Amino acid sequence: MAKTIKVVRKKDPKKKNQSDPLAKQKLIWKIGHVFTLVFGLVFSITYFYHALIFFKYRSWKWLFLKVNKNYSFIQSKKWYMKLLGWGPQIMYRLSLIGVFMSESVTMQQNWVGLNPTWSDLLSSENFHAVLIACLWFFGGGKSFYKLLPFMILSYLHLTKMKYELNADKEEKIPVTPRDKKFLHLLAYSELLVILALALDTILFKTGTAGFMLVIYVGIYWLRLNFSPYAQVTVLELLVKFEKYVPKQHRGKWDIIKNFVYLKMKEHEKRTKEVARYA
């Protein structure tokens, strides 16, 4: 009787663990940032076009401050034309939904297996972004300047997508000089939001502008305490405008500068401690 030879096929180690357990979360994260950037850019085009034809829906007799609420860009009463007229509002909401998708995945990965306290959440930059997105989503009015910080952030994440999706937690993502410029632009755009909301409040553009300004300033105070790029940008502005401050108020100005500088040092100390025990 001939002997039978049992062929044993070894498993290819490259094929082992090919299925990524985080594939769905990475896909949601990616789609979220694409939503924020793409729909934000399309909405921005409609926003600036609407701003260029301001003379059609604003009265020159009131120095263009009074808005004709009966004006409609699309004059047709057909249902599909009305649906097209809701396009900017839909794109604005979809851009914010993208923020919820990407930031929720990031927060879930940061706090997986942990039970974060309210103190931990309030010190998280991702949680700040979710709070601001909720404010814009449920608050009145829609504007380009509200979406600009989110679009810049999504652009940075998508350009670093290969590093962020495949890097280990201990591995540092490289930051280029271009990235630093975009981070500065991001910080300045967040300050621009405060200025724009203040103007909306003064001009009574919307009935909720004042409330949104107060809430946004409260959230930005958290960012000033825990966000390093916001701290650096504010400190740079304080140094630049220091020469215009009267001598009798120079002491108060120095107190503000020292506060921001101490917050920067506290953040550096926390970062070193986390790296030491990681």
Side-chain angles (χ1 to χ4, degrees), residues 6 14 16 28 31 57 59 76 86 91 99 105 124 133 163 186 199 206 259 265:
K6 187 177 181 180
K14 294 182 180 179
K16 190 178 181 180
I28 294 172
I31 292 174
Y57 57 89
S59 174
S76 177
W86 295 337
M91 288 181 287
V99 177
V105 170
S124 170
Y163 295 102
L186 173 59
L199 289 175
T206 61
F259 170 79
K265 290 299 179 182

Side-chain angles (χ1 to χ4, degrees), residues 19-34 98-113 158 161 164-165 169:
S19 59
D20 188 356
L22 301 177
K24 290 184 179 180
Q25 294 183 7
K26 290 179 180 180
L27 181 62
I28 294 172
W29 180 89
K30 192 188 303 182
I31 292 174
H33 283 303
V34 170
V99 177
F100 296 137
M101 294 170 63
S102 58
E103 296 298 341
S104 60
V105 170
T106 304
M107 290 176 63
Q108 196 275 336
Q109 286 300 307
N110 289 340
W111 302 107
V112 62
L158 290 174
M161 183 172 56
E164 295 195 29
L165 295 180
K169 288 185 178 181

Side-chain angles (χ1 to χ4, degrees), residues 1-262:
M1 185 176 178
K3 293 182 179 180
T4 58
I5 300 174
K6 187 177 181 180
V7 179
V8 180
R9 294 183 179 180
K10 294 183 179 180
K11 293 182 178 180
D12 189 355
K14 294 182 180 179
K15 293 183 179 180
K16 190 178 181 180
N17 296 330
Q18 265 190 341
S19 59
D20 188 356
L22 301 177
K24 290 184 179 180
Q25 294 183 7
K26 290 179 180 180
L27 181 62
I28 294 172
W29 180 89
K30 192 188 303 182
I31 292 174
H33 283 303
V34 170
F35 269 35
T36 301
L37 185 59
V38 173
F39 287 113
L41 287 173
V42 177
F43 168 78
S44 301
I45 294 173
T46 62
Y47 177 82
F48 283 113
Y49 181 76
H50 190 258
L52 288 174
I53 59 171
F54 68 94
F55 53 88
K56 290 187 177 182
Y57 57 89
R58 290 183 178 271
S59 174
W60 65 270
K61 297 179 181 179
W62 293 84
L63 299 177
F64 300 108
L65 295 177
K66 188 176 180 180
V67 181
N68 180 12
K69 296 182 179 180
N70 295 323
Y71 174 80
S72 177
F73 176 71
I74 298 176
Q75 302 295 334
S76 177
K77 295 182 179 181
K78 295 181 179 180
W79 67 269
Y80 56 86
M81 295 302 293
K82 288 185 177 181
L83 184 62
L84 183 62
W86 295 337
Q89 180 72 17
I90 295 172
M91 288 181 287
Y92 179 79
R93 303 283 180 178
L94 286 174
S95 182
L96 293 173
I97 288 173
V99 177
F100 296 137
M101 294 170 63
S102 58
E103 296 298 341
S104 60
V105 170
T106 304
M107 290 176 63
Q108 196 275 336
Q109 286 300 307
N110 289 340
W111 302 107
V112 62
L114 300 175
N115 186 20
T117 62
W118 277 107
S119 177
D120 296 327
L121 290 174
L122 292 176
S123 62
S124 170
E125 294 182 58
N126 302 110
F127 188 68
H128 301 163
V130 172
L131 289 178
I132 295 172
C134 287
L135 181 63
W136 301 155
F137 193 89
F138 297 106
K142 57 185 186 297
S143 299
F144 157 77
Y145 60 81
K146 294 179 180 178
L147 294 180
L148 181 59
F150 294 127
M151 288 191 292
I152 297 173
L153 191 61
S154 291
Y155 172 78
L156 287 172
H157 281 299
L158 290 174
T159 54
K160 296 289 182 181
M161 183 172 56
K162 292 183 179 180
Y163 295 102
E164 295 195 29
L165 295 180
N166 301 318
D168 297 328
K169 288 185 178 181
E170 293 79 9
E171 187 178 348
K172 290 185 178 180
I173 299 174
V175 179
T176 63
R178 186 199 63 175
D179 296 335
K180 293 180 180 179
K181 290 181 180 179
F182 273 103
L183 285 173
H184 279 296
L185 179 62
L186 173 59
Y188 282 118
S189 66
E190 291 178 344
L191 291 172
L192 178 65
V193 173
I194 297 178
L195 178 61
L197 286 175
L199 289 175
D200 289 348
T201 304
I202 295 172
L203 298 176
F204 299 101
K205 188 174 181 180
T206 61
T208 59
F211 297 103
M212 296 176 71
L213 174 62
V214 173
I215 296 172
Y216 182 80
V217 169
I219 299 173
Y220 190 80
W221 173 256
L222 293 174
R223 297 190 71 76
L224 192 58
N225 279 270
F226 301 105
S227 175
Y229 66 83
Q231 293 166 353
V232 171
T233 303
V234 170
L235 189 60
E236 287 180 353
L237 289 175
L238 291 172
V239 172
K240 285 181 181 179
F241 288 99
E242 186 176 11
K243 57 185 177 181
Y244 302 107
V245 179
K247 291 183 178 180
Q248 61 268 26
H249 300 296
R250 191 67 59 85
K252 297 178 182 178
W253 195 263
D254 291 335
I255 292 174
I256 299 174
K257 280 199 312 179
N258 292 333
F259 170 79
V260 178
Y261 181 75
L262 288 174

